[in-house]
Amino acid sequence: MAKGEREGRLPLLLLLLVLCLLAGSRIAAAATHPQDAAALKSLMRKWSNVPASWRKKSNDPCGDKWDGIECNGANSRVTSLNLFGMNMKGTLSDDIGSLTELRVLDLSSNKDLGGPLTPAIGKLVQLINLALIGCSFSGTVPSELGNLAQLEFFGLNSNQFTGRIPPSLGKLSKVKWLDLADNKLTGLLPNSRDHGAGLDQLLNAEHFHLNQNSLEGPIPEYMFNSSMHLKHILLDRNNFSGTIPSSIGVIPTLEVLRLNNNNFTGRVPAMNNLTKLHVLMLSNNKLSGPMPNLTDMKGLGNVDLSNNSFMPSGVPSWFTELPGLMTLTMQSVGISGKLPQKLFSLRDLQHVILNDNELNDTLDMGNTINDGLDLVDLRNNKITSVTVYSSLDSKLLKLEGNPLCTDSLLSNTLLCTDQLTEFPTMLPFSDVQCPHPFVETIFFRSPSFGDVRKFLPELHDNLSRTVSSCTPNKLGLVPYVDDVYLKVDIKACPVNQKRFNYSQVLNCFNLTLQTYKPPENFGPYYVKSHPYPFHDKASRAILIGVVTGSVLLVVGLALIGVYAMRQKKRAKKLVSQNNPFGTSYISYRLDHSIMLVYLP
């Protein structure tokens, strides 16, 4: 090889060496463990609509700060994967099992993320929080989830899971929040005596949320005990049968008990020890025997025993002995007699719904009616007369179907007109307007009150403090009620920007892990975000244009480089032919021409 040719190649070799060293140092300095980086890249290939930071050509999620990723700086391992409300589509592949240092896995509110849930999640033995709420996962709940010994939050509600609850979940000894509600689960509740492991072993659990499924069969007595720390038992809207286990009445921490809309039979067990209970809902079952005595349950705010087959009885004395009572619902339970005036003067009372009973005699609500009372539904009873006071608002009283309404003087009045008892159309509270608001629905499963409108200001102030860093004074609430739960749409507008970015949604509006604490009267909740347009079509077109232009620029520069190298070789050859004894250097001009300068 000629000496001039070797010298000409030297700069190129040096350049390649520098690039290799830079690349090597970049790999060595990567902030993400290679195993985790590879796993995330593989997961991403199964997903569409991932955040923009994920779509960059990067192999370092920690170092390049991918949205939703948190890492341990000491060992470069990924510890949190949070992609709440990102509008992602696809499936969750087995690669998730490679993120073995993960503490938080939250993919909630991605309604098009679904398919069978991979058993590989059972390999994440360091996991503390698992939230896959409001997705479309289907098939059975993997038994391997019982391997997650560190798990404290277990949220798989609002999916499409089928089959039985795996007994292995009874091994989650640290779990506090267990939520499998709003799925298509069937079969019995697993217990340790019959299945080797079961939910009765979860002594540290505070929340059993298994409502809105097709679970069935009796609940054994040994499912509950006084060593448990349960606050909320939500088993409503299933197909449970048999008697209500008396062991449920010995849990001293219980605050909410919803067993409504099942097929329970027999007597209601004694519950006088449940002194912290706020909400008791046993409606729409086949319960019988004497009317339950709730006298000692002074904390009750919401009681619903409707549509059961209790023995006919007079008006229970405890109607007036529950000082915090806000909502009393006893439809079609066979009570008779005259309602006491004291009931209507209870300080916090809002709704009294006692239609389709045998109440009779004169209705005399007294002259000290609570100002907050806004609904008294006594339709279809046997009330013969009513004492009217100036303080009585006839709009709140419904008496249609009683004998007194056959009197021509009352038959056409508001008292005797069959009007709907549902809330009026609710207007937004402190509504906000902007082109691209972020909206999420918060579902309150057991509020104590009857009319949410009176509590919206408190909820608004409470929520505003939680999200103030992202949307100060730009938060609106839109409440509405269906036949299941109270729902409130949270509507937030960005400040000094067109849209919220990915990190703002993840850090401000992700309430799935129960970090937000609503006012106590609202009870347990969960959230679902609405799809959010992080980018519009115009911005995507601009992005595509920029990428295309960048590619063309790189190609163009590469071609220019190749052309310049060829010209350099031709120039050297020409110099060596015409002046073999001289020395030259080559200067490149901006117009890509070449100037040769000879030195003696």
Side-chain angles (χ1 to χ4, degrees):
M1 182 181 295
K3 178 180 179 181
E5 187 174 354
R6 288 196 302 270
E7 291 177 349
R9 291 188 177 183
L10 183 61
L12 180 60
L13 293 173
L14 289 173
L15 178 62
L16 291 174
L17 179 61
V18 170
L19 291 175
C20 291
L21 290 173
L22 288 174
S25 64
R26 173 64 178 161
I27 294 172
T32 312
H33 191 284
Q35 175 179 313
D36 292 355
L40 289 172
K41 297 285 281 187
S42 295
L43 288 169
M44 185 176 65
R45 284 192 283 270
K46 298 289 186 178
W47 296 339
S48 60
N49 296 342
V50 294
S53 57
W54 287 54
R55 296 193 291 269
K56 297 177 181 178
K57 291 185 177 180
S58 164
N59 292 315
D60 190 6
C62 299
D64 292 332
K65 299 186 183 304
W66 286 15
D67 286 307
I69 297 296
E70 294 182 11
C71 305
N72 183 338
N75 59 14
S76 301
R77 299 300 304 272
V78 174
T79 57
S80 178
L81 174 55
N82 169 23
L83 293 175
F84 163 85
M86 295 290 104
N87 307 330
M88 295 194 312
K89 300 179 180 180
T91 58
L92 185 60
S93 69
D94 293 345
D95 298 288
I96 191 68
S98 297
L99 301 175
T100 52
E101 292 295 317
L102 211 59
R103 266 66 170 173
V104 177
L105 175 59
D106 187 352
L107 304 178
S108 300
S109 289
N110 290 288
K111 66 182 182 64
D112 293 318
L113 181 65
L117 185 60
T118 171
I121 293 182
K123 298 178 181 180
L124 307 180
V125 294
Q126 302 298 325
L127 202 63
I128 297 174
N129 297 315
L130 173 62
L132 305 176
I133 302 166
C135 299
S136 296
F137 290 107
S138 58
T140 58
V141 177
S143 61
E144 288 82 359
L145 298 186
N147 298 332
L148 306 178
Q150 303 302 315
L151 203 65
E152 296 180 8
F153 184 96
F154 182 102
L156 300 187
N157 52 299
S158 301
N159 281 281
Q160 300 173 21
F161 288 113
T162 56
R164 296 173 176 263
I165 298 174
S168 61
L169 298 189
K171 297 188 294 182
L172 304 178
S173 60
K174 293 185 178 181
V175 78
K176 294 182 179 180
W177 184 282
L178 179 69
D179 200 332
L180 283 163
D182 191 19
N183 280 289
K184 301 176 182 179
L185 299 171
T186 57
L188 304 173
L189 292 184
N191 64 83
S192 58
R193 292 193 186 184
D194 299 329
H195 305 97
L199 304 186
D200 55 306
Q201 296 174 300
L202 302 181
L203 300 182
N204 290 313
E206 297 178 357
H207 304 268
F208 275 5
H209 299 171
L210 305 175
N211 46 303
Q212 290 184 283
N213 280 290
S214 296
L215 298 168
E216 59 194 7
I219 299 176
E221 281 290 329
Y222 42 84
M223 182 61 69
F224 305 104
N225 61 74
S226 59
S227 298
M228 286 182 156
H229 295 83
L230 286 169
K231 294 181 179 180
H232 300 157
I233 297 178
L234 307 182
L235 302 179
D236 53 289
R237 299 178 189 277
N238 278 286
N239 296 318
F240 290 115
S241 58
T243 58
I244 297 173
S246 59
S247 57
I248 214 166
V250 300
I251 305 173
T253 53
L254 202 58
E255 298 174 4
V256 174
L257 178 59
R258 291 200 63 163
L259 304 179
N260 53 290
N261 295 83
N262 280 286
N263 295 306
F264 287 113
T265 57
R267 296 188 174 199
V268 175
M271 295 187 179
N272 291 339
N273 291 327
L274 303 182
T275 55
K276 294 184 178 181
L277 201 67
H278 301 319
V279 177
L280 175 63
M281 306 187 77
L282 306 178
S283 58
N284 300 307
N285 279 288
K286 300 175 182 179
L287 298 170
S288 58
M291 182 72 63
N293 184 0
L294 309 181
T295 301
D296 296 329
M297 302 172 69
K298 305 299 184 183
L300 280 173
N302 185 346
V303 177
D304 189 352
L305 305 180
S306 300
N307 300 313
N308 281 291
S309 301
F310 299 120
M311 295 170 56
S313 69
V315 175
S317 61
W318 54 262
F319 272 23
T320 59
E321 296 176 10
L322 302 177
L325 192 62
M326 304 177 77
T327 303
L328 176 63
T329 308
M330 302 272 288
Q331 300 170 301
S332 188
V333 291
I335 56 176
S336 60
K338 184 178 180 178
L339 290 172
Q341 288 185 1
K342 185 180 177 181
L343 171 64
F344 303 102
S345 62
L346 290 175
R347 181 190 60 191
D348 298 321
L349 194 65
Q350 291 185 322
H351 286 183
V352 176
I353 304 173
L354 303 174
N355 55 288
D356 296 289
N357 281 293
E358 301 294 324
L359 298 170
N360 50 35
D361 208 340
T362 298
L363 174 64
D364 186 350
M365 298 172 64
N367 201 26
T368 58
I369 299 174
N370 169 28
D371 291 338
L373 188 63
D374 55 24
L375 176 62
V376 178
D377 185 352
L378 302 176
R379 293 173 300 162
N380 301 320
N381 277 281
K382 295 183 178 180
I383 297 171
T384 55
S385 61
V386 59
T387 301
V388 179
Y389 297 88
S390 60
S391 59
L392 177 63
D393 182 357
S394 60
K395 293 181 181 179
L396 68 86
L397 185 57
K398 311 298 178 188
L399 293 174
E400 193 271 339
N402 282 279
L404 67 87
C405 287
T406 59
D407 190 316
S408 60
L409 295 177
L410 297 176
S411 59
N412 293 321
T413 65
L414 287 176
L415 294 174
C416 293
T417 303
D418 186 13
Q419 297 181 354
L420 297 176
T421 59
E422 286 81 3
F423 298 124
T425 301
M426 292 186 180
L427 297 176
F429 177 83
S430 182
D431 194 18
V432 293
Q433 299 294 331
C434 56
H436 303 290
F438 180 84
V439 181
E440 63 182 336
T441 301
I442 185 165
F443 297 76
F444 293 106
R445 290 159 158 170
S446 299
S448 299
F449 47 76
D451 188 351
V452 66
R453 292 170 296 178
K454 297 179 180 179
F455 294 87
L456 281 179
E458 183 182 7
L459 179 65
H460 182 269
D461 292 345
N462 186 282
L463 273 167
S464 295
R465 290 192 295 271
T466 301
V467 300
S468 60
S469 62
C470 289
T471 177
N473 304 316
K474 299 282 283 183
L475 186 72
L477 301 181
V478 183
Y480 52 103
V481 180
D482 59 17
D483 62 345
V484 184
Y485 305 118
L486 167 65
K487 303 174 185 178
V488 179
D489 281 351
I490 304 170
K491 184 179 178 183
C493 286
V495 178
N496 299 325
Q497 61 189 91
K498 189 177 181 180
R499 288 178 170 82
F500 290 108
N501 57 42
Y502 294 103
S503 62
Q504 286 175 320
V505 168
L506 293 173
N507 296 326
C508 288
F509 302 114
N510 185 359
L511 309 179
T512 57
L513 298 181
Q514 303 294 309
T515 52
Y516 164 67
K517 302 300 180 185
E520 187 177 28
N521 285 333
F522 282 83
Y525 74 91
Y526 71 99
V527 296
K528 285 184 184 180
S529 72
H530 297 207
Y532 190 68
F534 289 102
H535 300 287
D536 57 22
K537 293 181 180 179
S539 63
R540 287 188 178 186
I542 293 172
L543 180 62
I544 292 172
V546 170
V547 172
T548 303
S550 300
V551 171
L552 292 176
L553 178 61
V554 171
V555 172
L557 290 174
L559 292 174
I560 290 172
V562 172
Y563 174 75
M565 291 298 295
R566 288 183 176 179
Q567 290 295 87
K568 180 178 178 181
K569 289 182 178 180
R570 291 176 59 191
K572 281 188 175 183
K573 185 177 181 180
L574 182 62
V575 169
S576 63
Q577 290 176 349
N578 293 304
N579 189 14
F581 302 103
T583 304
S584 67
Y585 69 84
I586 302 173
S587 175
Y588 294 92
R589 295 180 178 178
L590 292 177
D591 60 359
H592 302 138
S593 61
I594 302 173
M595 177 175 68
L596 304 180
V597 180
Y598 294 91
L599 297 176

